[in-house]
Amino acid sequence: MAARNRDRTVHFYQVCDTKDDAPPLPVQDWGVLLRRLRDMPLRDRTVLWNGETLIGAVDPLQPAPHLLLAKVRREAPQQINFDDGSFSHLQLAANQGLVDVTTVHFLSFGNVMATMSGGISAPRVSALQRWFNGMNLMSDEIELRPVVNARSREKLARASAVETLTVRVQPEPYDSPTALSQSSDLGAAIGRLHEEYPDMTITLTLEVPKKRRWYSPVRRSRGQRQLLDSTSAFARDIGDWLDNSDAVDVARATAHIEDWEQQAADEKIDFVAERITTKCQVPLESTDGHSVDLHFALVELARVAHEKERILRVAVGADL
């Protein structure tokens, strides 16, 4: 029988100062920080935020520089008795709890980290950022920015109009559904469709029609500006979806960009391609259904980081 695998997406983030105009942070000695964290009592590794409990940990048996960020689960799962088929709540000792875990591997350059989540309920980049700042591990407040190799948002900022926008959302496994953030009107519309039709591929295309006899230049210009505004507002949702979901595999636009003293041109903006990510094939026997075996996760994170090292170094300005 063929081995069964499950895809896991590896995301790369850079630890940055929260101020856009601030110089790059000095490269941190993550080994020192992690050893300090490893020796802390549990209460000193815990960050509480808005009813969420986040706990950082380091496994002393794993030599790779890593962080395990766990989120305490609020609900207790059901369990089944295979002898009589009865269901009951999982009973845990008073000093035990259930957590969902994300594994973080720290690269040796540019304050770059690679992350692999154990499942949809595992901490995402926003939780990682809250934990870092709540722990005060660094002197200043930080944010985790996706490592990108394109400049889609710079193009969008310079655009005077948008001609088309296409987004495609794929079905997801039943055991890991995604709640897409909905801060924009377009994000809310696609999010509702994704919830109502979870077994379908959803493709949304908005396009300003080409000039026709009944379609005046005024209407065309108005439509282009409206689509530009909608795309700009939707860009925040797209960024969050790409950070926290594998559901979106197409998100692109055609923008009209006018550069100083140059002829205006239509350029493609590809929000998916700008992020440096990669897929890992995780054998199901290396998981307990959701959480990925720590040693396996660290081996895979180190492997894909090595494969992407040249691209990552260029993206963050770290010389080879």
Side-chain angles (χ1 to χ4, degrees):
M1 182 181 295
R4 296 179 60 201
N5 298 315
R6 172 170 290 174
D7 277 342
R8 282 286 193 267
T9 300
V10 176
H11 296 275
F12 296 96
Y13 299 99
Q14 185 179 30
V15 181
C16 300
D17 193 292
T18 55
K19 299 182 287 294
D20 290 333
D21 56 349
L25 292 173
V27 177
Q28 302 295 308
D29 187 337
W30 296 108
V32 171
L33 289 174
L34 294 168
R35 283 191 296 272
R36 193 171 74 203
L37 174 70
R38 182 190 61 196
D39 298 331
M40 289 181 180
L42 179 65
R43 65 178 180 277
D44 294 339
R45 295 183 274 114
T46 301
V47 170
L48 305 176
W49 183 85
N50 198 24
E52 184 178 71
T53 302
L54 300 170
I55 302 171
V58 176
D59 187 334
L61 300 179
Q62 303 295 331
H66 72 278
L67 166 71
L68 303 175
L69 187 66
K71 181 171 69 175
V72 177
R73 295 179 62 174
R74 297 180 181 178
E75 75 287 350
Q78 297 280 323
Q79 62 183 2
I80 186 171
N81 184 318
F82 286 115
D83 291 331
D84 59 16
S86 61
F87 293 89
S88 62
H89 285 288
L90 179 64
Q91 300 296 318
L92 296 173
N95 64 338
Q96 295 180 331
L98 297 172
V99 295
D100 295 300
V101 180
T102 291
T103 305
V104 182
H105 172 66
F106 293 88
L107 281 61
S108 62
F109 58 87
N111 293 324
V112 176
M113 61 177 65
T115 69
M116 181 188 295
S117 66
I120 191 60
S121 298
R124 302 291 175 157
V125 61
S126 56
L128 276 167
Q129 185 170 299
R130 286 195 294 271
W131 182 84
F132 264 96
N133 288 323
M135 287 289 297
N136 296 312
L137 290 179
M138 306 175 73
S139 57
D140 297 315
E141 186 173 355
I142 60 95
E143 67 176 326
L144 303 179
R145 297 177 185 170
V147 181
V148 299
N149 58 6
R151 293 293 176 264
S152 293
R153 281 164 181 73
E154 290 181 10
K155 290 182 181 180
L156 187 59
R158 294 187 288 113
S160 59
V162 169
E163 299 278 350
T164 63
L165 171 67
T166 299
V167 180
R168 186 169 68 200
V169 182
Q170 298 284 2
E172 297 171 282
Y174 277 111
D175 60 353
S176 58
T178 297
L180 301 179
S181 69
Q182 303 174 13
S183 64
S184 67
D185 291 341
L186 285 178
I190 297 174
R192 286 195 300 269
L193 287 172
H194 183 56
E195 293 171 1
E196 292 177 13
Y197 303 100
D199 302 320
M200 301 183 189
T201 296
I202 299 167
T203 303
L204 173 68
T205 299
L206 301 177
E207 182 175 6
V208 179
K210 302 297 182 183
K211 185 176 180 180
R212 298 176 181 174
R213 284 182 299 174
W214 54 267
Y215 197 71
S216 69
V218 172
R219 289 188 66 188
R220 178 171 173 77
S221 177
R222 186 172 63 209
Q224 290 173 329
R225 289 197 305 272
Q226 184 179 17
L227 190 51
L228 171 62
D229 292 341
S230 296
T231 303
S232 299
F234 187 39
R236 182 183 297 273
D237 283 339
I238 293 174
D240 184 81
W241 295 358
L242 295 175
D243 284 342
N244 295 312
S245 169
D246 295 335
V248 180
D249 67 343
V250 173
R252 57 176 176 250
T254 303
H256 195 66
I257 297 177
E258 299 179 3
D259 286 324
W260 181 253
E261 294 184 346
Q262 293 184 11
Q263 186 175 2
D266 287 341
E267 293 194 31
K268 301 293 185 183
I269 297 178
D270 192 329
F271 295 98
V272 174
E274 77 170 350
R275 276 181 165 59
I276 300 176
T277 63
T278 191
K279 297 281 189 181
C280 286
Q281 289 283 316
V282 179
L284 290 186
E285 42 291 6
S286 294
T287 75
D288 60 7
H290 292 277
S291 299
V292 181
D293 175 80
L294 171 59
H295 179 72
F296 180 90
L298 287 175
V299 168
E300 283 297 286
L301 288 172
R303 179 184 65 80
V304 297
H306 178 71
E307 291 178 353
K308 297 281 186 180
E309 181 173 353
R310 183 174 294 274
I311 297 173
L312 291 166
R313 283 183 177 273
V314 170
V316 300
D319 295 332
L320 289 172

